[in-house]
Amino acid sequence: MDETDRTLEQLLAGLMAVRDGNLDTRLPEDAGGLPGNIAAVFNGMVAQLSQVTTEVTRVAQEVGGEGRLGGQARVPPVGGVWRELTDAVNSMADNLTSQVRNISQVATAVARGDLTQKIRVDARGEILELKETINTMVERLSSFAEEVTRVAREVGTEGNLGGQATVHGVSGTWMDLTNNVNSMADNLTNQVRNIAQVTTAVAEGDLTRKIDVDARGEILELKTTINTMVDQLGSFAAEVTRVAREVGSEGRLGGQAEVADVSGTWRRLTENVNELAANLTGQVRAIAEVTSAVARGDLTRTVAVEAPGEVGELKDNINSMVESLRATTRANEEKDWLKTQLARISGGIQGRRDLTTVARLIMREVPPLVHAQYGCFFLALDGPQGAVGAEQADRAEDQAPELVAIASYGLPDDPSSGPRRFHVGQSLVGQAAADHRVVVVDELPPGYAPVLTGTGSADPSSLIVLPIVFEGQVLGALELASLRPFAPLHRDFLEQFTELLGVNVSSLTANARTDELLERSQLLTAELSARSGELQARQRELQRSNAELQDKAALLADRNRDIERKNHQIEQARQELEERAQELARASLYKSEFLANMSHELRTPLNSLLILAQLLAQNPEGNLTEKQADYAAVIHSAGSDLLQLINDILDLSKVEAGRMDVHPEPVSLQRVLDYVDVTFRPVADERGLEFTVSGAPSAGEGLVTDEARLRQVLRNLVSNALKFTRTGGVSLRVQAAGPQEVPHPLRGAGPVLAFRVVDTGIGIAAEQLESVFDAFQQGDSGADRAYGGTGLGLSISREVSKLLGGTITAESTMGQGSCFTLYLPEHDGRAQGRPAPGGAEAEEEDERDGSAPAPRFAPQVDDEGLRDRTVLLVDDDTRNVFALTEVLKSAGMQVLTADNGEAGIRLLAAHPEVDLVVMDLMMAGLDGYATTRAIRAMPRLAELPVVVVTAKAMPGDRAEALAAGASDYVVKPVAPDRLLTALRTWLTPR
């Protein structure tokens, strides 16, 4: 093979390698000539082609493989096809870069949500179609986005459900996408609306609704969650409702809400409800325990449970209420203690008549009661009635009364040194008596008043001195010392006790004076009887002396001197008798004055007691229980018995003093019998006894006696028979007494009536028939306890019967009954020369029987005559004022009150509408007499009715009151109906 063929073969192999894409083949250039040139040209061409291929490959790799646009093929200067190829490649790369970048920009804008961009680069062919497709896609995507945005805005932002996206000219995926969006909107609308309906129902309290719309995915989870929530809320509501019903309606505490399968807020809410129920249970049970304890009387409990808010306020209020109730109970207990101790010690004092015994009793009881270790009782001596008045406190030292220690407790003094004595104003004891004030000294210095015991001594720290005062008079003092300060309760007790003690000491002093006067009176009476016996003996001796004078004329002169001497002695004895008689009269006067004062002091409180007790027993407003009304009736009955006792004592004193006069006058026996029947038949009916009152025909037709005294005797006899009779009956029979049965003292007195009171009672032993007529006797001692009473009725009745010229006899058989017979002459011959009724004594009998004399200017008015009338009540006793005011107001009257005469006159001057004055007589300052005279001295009030209501019931009091200008006179205690009747009498109709 020649060189040319080898060169061509090499060229062919090179071209075939180029054809096959191997641009690495090179022809050897070492051959010269044409083969060398061909090899050089071939190698140059392959090198350029390799370079162009490398650049084009690089650009294609960058654009097509790596996505880096903008690359250019950089080939050394070439020409021809290679230049065109390089330019075409670069032009293709530039066009593709600009088109892709524009498409990329639009796609990027679409990706960023900017649908306003369009592909505006020039393009042809498929790129143009791509451009137009992408631009159309962007336009439709923009329209779709607008519709979807609108629907989303309406649904998501504005909350307008039911919206639909309307996109025209779309198909395929865009149509499917639009339909899917609308389907999503429909589903979302249905689901949200269903959820809204359920949640609205839940909000309105309807827990029966459920979400029943079809849902998937998270909406299904939401649906399931909401339905589960509704179920749990329903269960929670049912449990809470059950707990609330049990706690709030049924009152069953301790319930707990049990909600299963809950967590989070529902569990916390359930736990909060259970905690609320538990707290409420604890609080209510704590409050209930405290209130139950209070109801049982246990005031030591308080509500200690923690409670805020209104329950806390309720807790505080209940604790405050318990504390207040505890304080009130403590105060009531202290009051009860005060009343109990005062009543106990007063009961111990009652019945004792010796001041020293009473003082020792007080020293035994009072110091230990107030925890005192030292005590001393001082009694005022050498004053009037054994006491010192306030106006006497400034006497001279040598004339001032002394306070003498008569009893002590724990006093360390030597008994041989005598009792302690202080003048009024001397030492703290005397100063307390002078000032009428309690003296309290705390923090006593050591050794002031040591308290001694067998083992040692101690110094008291507190001292109290209390004066014993009654009506302005110091009767004594009480000194106590204690190792500790006196408690306020003990000080209150001591102050009240000294007030009560003042009354008791005054009463004991008065009793001692009365006993002394009675004893002196009895001694004077006995001495007078002894002197009378001596006079009679001397008279007999004188008679014998006269006989001896006749026989012994020789001794006449001596005997005459003896007679003169004896006559002188007789004259002295007569003067002594007169003096003793005067002393006896003074003693009787003292006794009468004492009884009169006692009557006034007892009748005044009795008046208010009886009036108020009667008003309570009547219970006009119906606000008292039957038992309370019975209590009031018992109080009224006890007060009436006390009034009867006062009257009996006054009658007995009049009998003993010989001052009870009788005023005989013709008497209708039938009227007397009717009085007895009307008075005692209700009593007999109440006790279930037969009661008969009868008189023999024509018996007592000419009876002349004192009717009031006769009624008094029959009243006592019948009342006594009813009291001692429990079964059977009582009868009063009046008939003429047979000649044989008339008692010896009445024989020869003319016709005698026998008033027989027969009962089937307990009877009287024969040996006691006479003793029952003695004062304060009722047969045996057991009758006193079993039947009560004073034992004065029969004694007074026998004495009154004697004054009437008759007598009383008694017959009785134990266990069968008794018969008391009043024998009374039909004509009392002793009536000659006696004054006719109408004097002071007649007035007194009118007062005692409760009947007022015929009033002056006394037109009767109807029952409405008192309503809206104005009455002035003048009385210094607040209890009496209160009682009478209640009576007058209950009758519809307007009441003005004054506690003294001056105040009453001022009220009359300021109130011309006053229609009547109710006046008390015994008042401090201007008394009732002077006040009545002052009223009568005022021309405008000269005819104003003045009704005196007073406890002064002694002879002459009524006449004195009428003389002072009173229109009427009523004695206390006065029954409300009698007082109102008296007022109606004097009030003329308007």
Side-chain angles (χ1 to χ4, degrees):
M1 177 179 296
D2 58 8
E3 186 69 29
T4 303
D5 292 337
R6 191 170 54 250
T7 301
L8 289 174
E9 288 179 355
Q10 290 179 347
L11 177 63
L12 179 61
L15 290 173
M16 290 176 66
V18 170
R19 184 197 66 181
D20 295 332
N22 184 4
L23 298 181
D24 294 330
T25 301
R26 295 289 186 273
L27 296 179
E29 294 180 3
D30 55 352
L34 181 61
N37 292 333
I38 293 173
V41 171
F42 178 82
N43 289 337
M45 179 194 68
V46 172
Q48 289 182 347
L49 183 60
S50 178
Q51 186 174 7
V52 170
T53 301
T54 300
E55 284 296 308
V56 171
T57 300
R58 179 182 61 81
V59 171
Q61 185 178 0
E62 289 180 354
V63 174
E66 299 178 1
R68 291 187 295 165
L69 300 178
Q72 292 287 299
R74 296 180 179 84
V75 182
V78 293
V81 174
W82 302 113
R83 179 80 181 182
E84 293 177 358
L85 179 60
T86 302
D87 293 340
V89 170
N90 287 335
S91 175
M92 180 196 69
D94 286 339
N95 291 335
L96 185 60
T97 296
S98 61
Q99 293 168 353
V100 171
R101 282 181 175 175
N102 194 211
I103 292 171
S104 176
Q105 290 174 354
V106 173
T108 300
V110 172
R112 290 198 302 267
D114 183 6
L115 300 179
T116 61
Q117 299 280 343
K118 292 288 186 68
I119 300 175
R120 305 188 185 280
V121 68
D122 292 332
R124 296 176 184 178
E126 292 183 5
I127 296 298
L128 177 60
E129 293 178 1
L130 178 60
K131 165 187 173 182
E132 292 175 351
T133 299
I134 290 177
N135 286 340
T136 302
M137 180 196 69
V138 169
E139 290 175 355
R140 291 178 178 176
L141 187 58
S142 176
S143 175
F144 175 77
E146 289 177 358
E147 284 298 300
V148 172
T149 300
R150 178 181 62 79
V151 172
R153 183 176 64 252
E154 290 178 353
V155 174
T157 303
E158 299 175 358
N160 296 326
L161 300 178
Q164 291 287 288
T166 304
V167 182
H168 300 285
V170 294
S171 62
T173 301
W174 298 113
M175 178 62 74
D176 294 339
L177 186 57
T178 302
N179 293 336
N180 290 336
V181 168
N182 289 335
S183 177
M184 179 195 71
D186 287 338
N187 291 335
L188 186 61
T189 296
N190 295 331
Q191 293 165 354
V192 170
R193 284 179 175 173
N194 193 212
I195 292 173
Q197 291 173 354
V198 173
T199 53
T200 301
V202 172
E204 293 174 351
D206 182 6
L207 300 179
T208 62
R209 300 288 297 274
K210 293 290 185 65
I211 300 175
D212 50 10
V213 68
D214 291 333
R216 296 178 182 177
E218 294 184 4
I219 297 297
L220 177 60
E221 294 179 0
L222 176 61
K223 167 187 173 182
T224 304
T225 300
I226 291 178
N227 287 338
T228 303
M229 177 196 73
V230 172
D231 291 337
Q232 291 177 343
L233 187 57
S235 176
F236 172 77
E239 283 297 301
V240 171
T241 301
R242 177 183 63 80
V243 173
R245 182 176 64 253
E246 290 178 354
V247 174
S249 300
E250 301 174 0
R252 291 187 294 163
L253 300 178
Q256 292 285 285
E258 298 177 357
V259 184
D261 300 329
V262 293
S263 60
T265 300
W266 296 114
R267 176 171 294 279
R268 291 194 298 273
L269 188 56
T270 303
E271 292 173 351
N272 290 337
V273 169
N274 289 335
E275 182 180 2
L276 177 144
N279 289 339
L280 185 60
T281 297
Q283 294 164 357
V284 172
R285 285 179 175 172
I287 293 174
E289 289 176 359
V290 173
T291 54
S292 299
V294 172
R296 294 193 304 269
D298 182 7
L299 300 179
T300 61
R301 303 284 299 277
T302 57
V303 182
V305 68
E306 293 294 335
E310 294 186 4
V311 177
E313 294 179 0
L314 175 62
K315 163 193 168 183
D316 295 338
N317 291 336
I318 290 178
N319 288 339
S320 300
M321 178 197 71
V322 173
E323 181 61 29
S324 176
L325 190 58
R326 186 184 300 122
T328 303
T329 302
R330 188 182 304 112
N332 291 336
E333 290 175 351
E334 291 179 353
K335 290 181 181 179
D336 292 342
W337 184 86
L338 278 176
K339 294 178 181 179
T340 301
Q341 299 304 327
L342 289 173
R344 182 178 65 83
I345 298 179
S346 298
I349 295 176
Q350 295 297 327
R352 302 179 186 272
R353 305 181 66 86
D354 182 51
L355 271 173
T356 303
T357 303
V358 170
R360 291 173 180 171
L361 173 64
I362 291 171
M363 284 295 100
R364 284 197 307 269
E365 297 289 340
V366 174
L369 193 61
V370 297
H371 301 161
Q373 289 73 39
Y374 161 80
C376 194
F377 188 103
F378 293 90
L379 181 66
L381 301 178
D382 298 332
Q385 297 184 0
V388 55
E391 71 278 1
Q392 296 170 308
D394 55 351
R395 286 183 176 182
E397 178 81 11
D398 55 347
Q399 296 179 348
E402 282 187 324
L403 297 169
V404 181
I406 63 173
S408 63
Y409 179 86
L411 189 67
D413 291 357
D414 185 0
S416 62
S417 62
R420 295 187 179 187
R421 295 176 177 269
F422 300 103
H423 289 287
V424 174
Q426 179 187 5
S427 79
L428 289 180
V429 175
Q431 193 63 44
D435 296 341
H436 294 189
R437 290 189 303 182
V438 177
V439 175
V440 179
V441 180
D442 292 324
E443 299 181 1
L444 294 173
Y448 178 79
V451 177
L452 303 180
T453 67
T455 57
S457 64
D459 294 324
S461 64
S462 183
L463 176 74
I464 185 171
V465 181
L466 304 102
I468 302 174
V469 182
F470 179 73
E471 293 184 349
Q473 290 184 330
V474 175
L475 307 177
L478 196 64
E479 181 181 12
L480 299 168
S482 174
L483 296 176
R484 295 186 299 273
F486 289 97
L489 176 61
H490 293 160
R491 292 185 57 177
D492 293 341
F493 166 77
L494 290 174
E495 293 177 2
Q496 295 184 28
F497 175 69
T498 51
E499 293 179 5
L500 180 64
L501 187 58
V503 177
N504 290 327
V505 171
S506 175
S507 176
L508 289 173
T509 304
N511 290 338
R513 289 287 182 179
T514 302
D515 293 342
E516 181 182 355
L517 291 175
L518 289 176
E519 184 178 357
R520 290 180 59 189
S521 174
Q522 293 172 356
L523 291 175
L524 290 174
T525 302
E527 189 173 352
L528 182 61
S529 299
R531 290 301 179 90
S532 297
E534 291 179 2
L535 285 176
Q536 292 176 1
R538 290 180 181 181
Q539 287 177 353
R540 290 192 295 271
E541 185 178 354
L542 181 60
Q543 291 175 359
R544 289 195 301 271
S545 298
N546 289 332
E548 291 176 359
L549 285 174
Q550 293 176 1
D551 297 334
K552 298 179 181 181
L555 301 176
L556 181 59
D558 295 336
R559 295 298 183 186
N560 285 336
R561 287 192 295 273
D562 291 338
I563 290 172
E564 290 178 358
R565 186 169 58 255
K566 291 184 181 296
N567 286 338
H568 181 68
Q569 293 177 353
I570 291 172
E571 181 63 22
Q572 288 181 343
R574 186 185 63 78
Q575 291 177 358
E576 290 180 1
L577 287 175
E578 289 180 354
E579 291 176 358
R580 295 303 175 90
Q582 292 176 358
E583 292 181 2
L584 183 62
R586 283 195 300 272
S588 178
L589 178 62
Y590 293 155
K591 181 178 179 181
S592 298
E593 291 179 353
F594 168 74
L595 291 175
N597 291 334
M598 180 196 70
S599 172
H600 175 269
E601 295 302 325
L602 291 177
R603 286 173 184 264
T604 297
L606 267 180
N607 185 57
S608 57
L609 184 146
L610 291 176
I611 290 175
L612 294 177
Q614 182 175 349
L615 291 177
L616 290 174
Q618 292 173 350
N619 195 15
E621 298 180 0
N623 57 351
L624 297 179
T625 64
E626 182 178 354
K627 179 174 285 189
Q628 290 172 336
D630 292 342
Y631 290 162
V634 171
I635 294 173
H636 184 272
S637 175
S640 301
D641 293 342
L642 182 57
L643 176 61
Q644 184 61 42
L645 173 61
I646 296 170
N647 294 335
D648 289 345
I649 292 175
L650 290 176
D651 286 341
L652 184 62
S653 66
K654 289 179 181 180
V655 170
E656 291 178 350
R659 297 178 59 185
M660 180 177 285
D661 295 331
V662 296
H663 307 282
E665 57 182 345
V667 174
S668 170
L669 181 60
Q670 187 59 44
R671 184 170 69 240
V672 173
L673 297 181
D674 291 343
Y675 163 77
V676 174
D677 185 74
V678 169
T679 301
F680 292 102
R681 184 165 297 282
V683 179
D685 291 342
E686 181 181 358
R687 299 185 180 183
L689 302 175
E690 293 185 9
F691 183 64
T692 58
V693 178
S694 61
S698 71
E701 292 181 349
L703 179 61
V704 176
T705 187
D706 189 325
E707 182 175 352
R709 295 303 178 189
L710 175 59
R711 288 186 179 187
Q712 181 180 3
V713 173
L714 294 179
R715 191 166 59 236
N716 286 340
L717 293 178
V718 176
S719 174
N720 198 64
L722 288 171
K723 181 171 69 173
F724 291 98
T725 302
R726 292 183 175 176
T727 60
V730 175
S731 65
L732 169 61
R733 172 74 178 173
V734 182
Q735 60 186 26
Q740 300 301 322
E741 67 171 308
V742 174
H744 181 73
L746 299 185
R747 293 179 180 177
V752 176
L753 291 177
F755 295 79
R756 288 188 176 85
V757 178
V758 181
D759 65 71
T760 59
I762 61 175
I764 305 171
E767 64 272 14
Q768 296 174 341
L769 278 177
E770 283 303 319
S771 65
V772 296
F773 290 100
D774 296 336
F776 306 106
Q777 297 294 324
Q778 289 188 348
D780 61 0
S781 59
D784 291 340
R785 295 186 294 271
Y787 297 93
T790 62
L792 293 176
L794 292 178
S795 176
I796 294 173
S797 297
R798 170 168 280 188
E799 296 301 327
V800 172
S801 67
K802 291 179 181 178
L803 291 176
L804 296 177
T807 187
I808 297 178
T809 63
E811 300 175 358
S812 182
T813 302
M814 288 296 294
Q816 298 182 8
S818 305
C819 176
F820 287 83
T821 304
L822 166 65
Y823 293 99
L824 187 67
E826 289 193 19
H827 300 280
D828 187 359
R830 298 176 302 168
Q832 300 176 357
R834 292 186 180 181
E841 283 71 17
E843 294 172 358
E844 178 188 351
E845 294 307 319
D846 290 338
E847 296 158 10
R848 288 287 308 278
D849 288 341
S851 59
R856 299 173 295 171
F857 326 112
Q860 295 295 325
V861 299
D862 59 3
D863 292 340
E864 297 296 326
L866 300 180
R867 188 170 302 279
D868 297 329
R869 308 299 288 270
T870 302
V871 60
L872 172 61
L873 177 59
V874 184
D875 198 325
D876 61 349
D877 190 296
T878 55
R879 300 164 298 184
N880 196 45
V881 169
F882 175 76
L884 293 180
T885 300
E886 291 298 317
V887 172
L888 298 175
K889 285 185 176 179
S890 66
M893 303 188 74
Q894 305 294 326
V895 182
L896 303 175
T897 61
D899 58 0
N900 58 72
E902 293 88 345
I905 293 175
R906 288 195 298 270
L907 282 176
L908 282 176
H911 295 273
E913 72 275 12
V914 174
D915 299 308
L916 183 142
V917 177
V918 176
M919 181 74 67
D920 184 31
L921 291 181
M922 299 184 68
M923 296 184 294
L926 198 66
D927 61 9
Y929 298 112
T931 304
T932 303
R933 294 189 188 96
I935 292 174
R936 292 296 180 229
M938 303 168 67
R940 181 174 64 84
L941 305 177
E943 299 299 325
L944 180 68
V946 178
V947 177
V948 169
V949 179
T950 181
K952 284 179 65 63
M954 299 305 291
D957 289 339
R958 175 185 177 86
E960 185 178 359
L962 295 177
S967 305
D968 206 344
Y969 184 91
V970 180
V971 178
K972 296 177 184 177
V974 58
D977 52 352
R978 180 186 174 191
L979 175 63
L980 297 178
T981 299
L983 299 188
R984 290 191 191 97
T985 301
W986 289 99
L987 287 175
T988 57
R990 290 181 175 176

